[in-house]
Amino acid sequence: MNKALPLTFAGLFVLFAALQYNDPDPQVWVPIYGFAAMACVMAYARIGKVWFFGLMALIYAVAAAYQWPPAFEGFLLNEIGMKTVNIELARESGGLLICALAMGAMGWVVNRAKKVIT
């Protein structure tokens, strides 16, 4: 599982980045998800440090909190497109939260691998 988790998240983040092609601001979101995908590949290759993934989890979590909408109207996952600004902000915040959780998981994977090696 330690090898499958980083690859699964890397694939998920590449998909997230690819789905930004019709977003009004892909120049912001493609690098956000692309960096998360690269970090997952780093965790897979065991070249990242635990503190790096912890810092990235913190940055993504702070960004998710900052992006949270003033009035939560849901995510409306059964519809495509932005219905309101609050729904778009909630979706963006949710994506950042997924990144934060994944970075925490990557830190756990790398930490566990280092314990097994030593």
Side-chain angles (χ1 to χ4, degrees):
M1 177 169 144
N2 283 344
K3 293 281 191 176
L5 191 62
L7 289 180
T8 301
F9 272 119
L12 182 69
F13 292 132
V14 167
L15 178 63
F16 282 6
L19 292 175
Q20 299 303 312
Y21 72 93
N22 66 347
D23 197 85
D25 52 356
Q27 69 277 9
V28 173
W29 295 99
V30 170
I32 287 172
Y33 292 129
F35 187 77
M38 287 189 319
C40 291
V41 172
M42 288 171 58
Y44 174 77
R46 307 297 193 256
I47 58 175
K49 302 285 186 189
V50 175
W51 65 263
F52 169 78
F53 296 108
L55 178 62
M56 291 314 304
L58 179 64
I59 290 170
Y60 278 123
V62 168
Y66 177 76
Q67 195 70 12
W68 192 253
F72 182 70
E73 297 177 23
F75 297 103
L76 283 179
L77 296 175
N78 60 343
E79 296 183 27
I80 302 296
M82 183 178 84
K83 298 300 179 189
T84 70
V85 173
N86 286 332
I87 291 172
E88 181 67 12
L89 289 173
R91 289 177 179 177
E92 291 173 349
S93 182
L96 290 166
L97 185 59
I98 291 170
C99 290
L101 294 172
M103 293 304 106
M106 296 307 103
W108 175 80
V109 165
V110 168
N111 187 43
R112 183 173 167 144
K114 297 213 186 282
K115 286 182 179 177
V116 169
I117 291 172
T118 57

